[in-house]
Amino acid sequence: MPDTKYVLAIDQGTTSSRAIVFDHGGQIVATGQKEHEQIFPRAGWVEHDPEEIWTNVREVVGLALTRANLTHRDIAAVGITNQRETAVVWDRTTGKPVYNAIVWQDTRTAKIAEELGALGGGAERYKDRVGLPLATYFSGPKVKWILDNVDGARAKAESGDLAFGNTDAWVLWNMTGGVDGGVHVTDVTNASRTMLMNLDTLSWNEEIAGDMGIPVSMLPEIRSSSEVYGSGREGGLLPGVPISGILGDQQAATFGQACFEVGHAKNTYGTGNFMLLNTGTSPIPSKNGLLTTLCYKIGDAPAVYALEGSIAVTGSLVQWLRDNLGIISSAPEIEELAKTVEDNGGAYFVPAFSGLFAPYWRSDARGALVGLTRYVNKGHIARAALEATAFQTREVLDAMNADSGVDLTELKVDGGMVQDETLMQFQADILGVPVIRPKVAETTALGAAYAAGIAVGYWSGEQDVIDNWAEDKRWSPALESGERDRQYRLWKKAVTKTFDWVDDDVS
């Protein structure tokens, strides 16, 4: 395939949709990006409008192609990466969603998770089969909520008229024609986040779907992360172009960071933080609060698994300081404000806005800012907010070391917050290992591009990804070990102050 062709990645994220054109060297040629509305109908509920997302996807594809001065004829393949666990249910006959997308951060399904656990086994009821605890995070209970609460939805689902997918499946279905022959497919990484897929057979578990009252007819076909699923619809911006890669956003970043060997790990700093450790072709059950998940599957090759530590609130804490408190007017200002002080002034900020994810899985927790004295100012609060991201990452890394039996010696990082050098230095300090940023920080979109390009022969395989990866900057630990231990001890104490906040009469 000629090097003059390019690969397009669509990154349908939590706060925005992006399209990025990559060349054969894995370099960015052009980008289009557009934010979508964050809808908060009540405390703990988070929604997106799927139709707004689809409109924005088309717009950003047009922007990226225009800025690169390209047409669909220059695109060898399209890859899709997406916010995982965000559930869309739509009508196959009209193409319309029956309800807004319920976002991964949403906590409305807490009662559903409790009721399912009460059937036997508690939070661990399905974990040996699907690798996940019963928690509000995952897609399956969200689908049950929609079927239980939207008028007429269950009857339509049982008659075969409704389709479900994470946002990858929604975008793919629309891109390939929607009501006019749209392909209803997801990949193994997204399917592994629903709580409905068997880890060993990579197929839907009909018993669990039955427990949740979800007709199997709603579920997309599960395919590998790198194969041709369909082509761009006639009349669209990418007619006839193969759509040939799908990876959930964190798995896409792992792929883009070339974490192909057992023991390789990366951490993505976005709305939340997500650390993945490649564990090879066998799933490893976690005893320390991590998730067992799919890492990727290339065509007919064996599936590769990962351990994952999911942190709900990191970058979105900075957004909260900007939008809700007005302490800063733009996200990059957080670092400047944090640099006005030497340390956190004794303040610790635990952002359990939607409960705590790994390694605690406490949906009863809520955010807390502790250790306050009259001395503390907004600089200390800014620093405490940044440090919260690093401390939460340390907790996940400790769990990963315990589960895998191998201590990580370095951490590859990516995502929006890795431009914050103050945070990256503190991250290295509190972990006690080097932190490494790649030259192309958009590793999520890049991973989806690689998966799509490999499927059509644009890249030959994983070795091309390894060859294209390059280090940009490295931070080494500089904090004395006694001080590291003291700060981490105080953080762990702060976390305990968030537990048991939500009573039955607190919504």
Side-chain angles (χ1 to χ4, degrees):
M1 184 164 290
D3 287 354
T4 51
K5 285 211 168 194
Y6 303 88
V7 172
L8 178 79
I10 293 167
D11 181 355
Q12 200 302 290
T14 306
T15 57
S16 70
S17 299
R18 290 185 296 179
I20 304 182
V21 178
F22 291 97
D23 65 17
H24 198 265
Q27 300 299 306
I28 293 172
V29 177
T31 303
Q33 180 168 1
K34 191 167 186 188
E35 290 193 3
H36 54 263
E37 184 184 0
Q38 305 296 308
I39 303 164
F40 306 106
R42 61 171 81 170
W45 292 28
V46 190
E47 298 176 1
H48 296 154
D49 177 353
E51 293 190 281
E52 181 190 10
I53 284 173
W54 170 230
T55 297
N56 289 358
V57 165
R58 284 176 288 169
E59 191 169 320
V60 297
V61 168
L63 276 171
L65 291 174
T66 301
R67 288 169 178 167
N69 198 25
L70 301 173
T71 73
H72 67 277
R73 293 184 184 85
D74 301 299
I75 305 300
V78 178
I80 297 171
T81 183
N82 61 293
Q83 51 169 325
R84 308 166 306 168
E85 304 96 15
T86 294
V88 186
V89 175
W90 69 94
D91 190 314
R92 297 177 194 273
T93 55
T94 66
K96 300 287 185 186
V98 301
Y99 189 79
N100 277 338
I102 301 181
V103 179
W104 56 273
Q105 302 152 307
D106 189 287
T107 58
R108 77 186 69 186
T109 55
K111 287 269 192 299
I112 291 173
E114 284 174 23
E115 288 163 5
L116 289 166
L119 297 174
E124 308 280 297
R125 177 173 174 80
Y126 305 123
K127 197 171 183 187
D128 60 335
R129 287 171 281 174
V130 302
L132 312 173
L134 271 164
T136 59
Y137 184 23
F138 307 107
S139 316
K142 295 174 169 58
V143 180
K144 174 174 168 54
W145 187 94
I146 289 172
L147 297 183
D148 288 348
N149 289 277
V150 176
D151 283 348
R154 183 164 294 285
K156 279 189 171 181
E158 287 170 356
S159 64
D161 290 337
L162 296 191
F164 150 73
N166 292 340
T167 60
D168 64 304
W170 168 246
V171 169
L172 177 69
W173 187 78
N174 280 293
M175 286 187 73
T176 53
V179 294
D180 187 19
V183 174
H184 189 211
V185 159
T186 192
D187 89 302
V188 291
T189 67
N190 274 286
S192 76
R193 314 301 291 194
T194 61
M195 209 183 276
L196 299 169
M197 188 191 82
N198 296 308
L199 278 177
D200 52 356
T201 61
L202 310 183
S203 59
W204 297 120
N205 185 303
E206 296 192 17
E207 181 191 339
I208 298 174
D211 283 356
M212 296 190 194
I214 299 170
V216 177
S217 62
M218 291 180 70
L219 305 179
E221 182 186 351
I222 302 172
R223 304 269 282 274
S224 83
S225 311
S226 179
E227 62 177 272
V228 177
Y229 314 109
S231 303
R233 64 200 168 93
E234 291 303 316
L237 289 167
L238 298 161
V241 179
I243 302 166
S244 52
I246 300 175
L247 287 156
D249 51 10
Q250 304 313 319
Q251 286 91 342
T254 309
F255 203 83
Q257 285 271 39
C259 294
F260 299 129
E261 299 291 325
V262 174
H264 282 189
K266 69 87 211 177
N267 197 26
T268 296
Y269 296 71
T271 304
N273 262 38
F274 303 89
M275 190 187 298
L276 269 75
L277 173 76
N278 183 325
T279 62
T281 53
S282 298
I284 292 183
S286 174
K287 297 179 174 65
N288 293 281
L290 302 179
L291 309 177
T292 304
T293 194
L294 266 291
C295 195
Y296 59 87
K297 185 181 190 306
I298 301 303
D300 295 330
V304 174
Y305 295 85
L307 283 169
E308 175 175 333
S310 310
I311 302 166
V313 177
T314 54
S316 56
L317 176 56
V318 177
Q319 280 184 322
W320 183 82
L321 291 174
R322 180 193 70 191
D323 299 341
N324 292 44
L325 296 194
I327 285 178
I328 53 174
S329 57
S330 68
E333 287 177 28
I334 190 81
E335 182 176 15
E336 293 309 308
L337 187 54
K339 283 163 71 174
T340 63
V341 294
E342 291 294 313
D343 55 33
N344 63 19
Y348 290 81
F349 201 153
V350 186
F353 295 158
S354 47
L356 289 167
F357 284 10
Y360 299 101
W361 299 104
R362 297 286 296 250
S363 61
D364 62 357
R366 286 297 178 268
L369 181 54
V370 301
L372 298 183
T373 62
R374 286 286 299 273
Y375 172 70
V376 171
N377 63 34
K378 63 184 181 180
H380 296 117
I381 290 172
R383 184 171 282 270
L386 290 181
E387 290 181 355
T389 294
F391 283 126
Q392 291 180 99
T393 298
R394 164 74 187 270
E395 291 187 303
V396 166
L397 185 72
D398 286 355
M400 240 168 223
N401 288 343
D403 272 339
S404 68
V406 179
D407 286 354
L408 288 185
T409 56
E410 62 181 35
L411 184 66
K412 288 181 174 179
V413 299
D414 53 67
M417 293 180 83
V418 301
Q419 302 309 316
D420 188 322
E421 306 224 348
T422 302
L423 169 59
M424 289 298 100
Q425 182 58 56
F426 187 75
Q427 185 69 87
D429 287 343
I430 212 68
L431 293 182
V433 299
V435 168
I436 302 162
R437 181 175 71 196
K439 281 195 170 160
V440 177
E442 299 294 350
T443 53
T444 301
L446 183 57
Y450 281 137
I454 287 169
V456 299
Y458 181 80
W459 287 291
S460 59
E462 288 100 315
Q463 190 58 48
D464 282 348
V465 182
I466 294 165
D467 293 344
N468 283 347
W469 190 92
E471 180 178 316
D472 175 50
K473 184 154 186 182
R474 174 183 294 252
W475 290 267
S476 296
L479 192 65
E480 189 270 323
S481 62
E483 178 61 12
R484 177 188 306 133
D485 294 344
R486 185 188 75 85
Q487 292 204 34
Y488 190 46
R489 183 188 80 238
L490 289 169
W491 164 262
K492 297 286 267 187
K493 187 193 289 190
V495 171
T496 65
K497 308 304 180 190
T498 72
F499 295 164
D500 297 316
W501 183 259
V502 179
D503 297 328
D504 286 343
D505 61 349
V506 177
S507 62

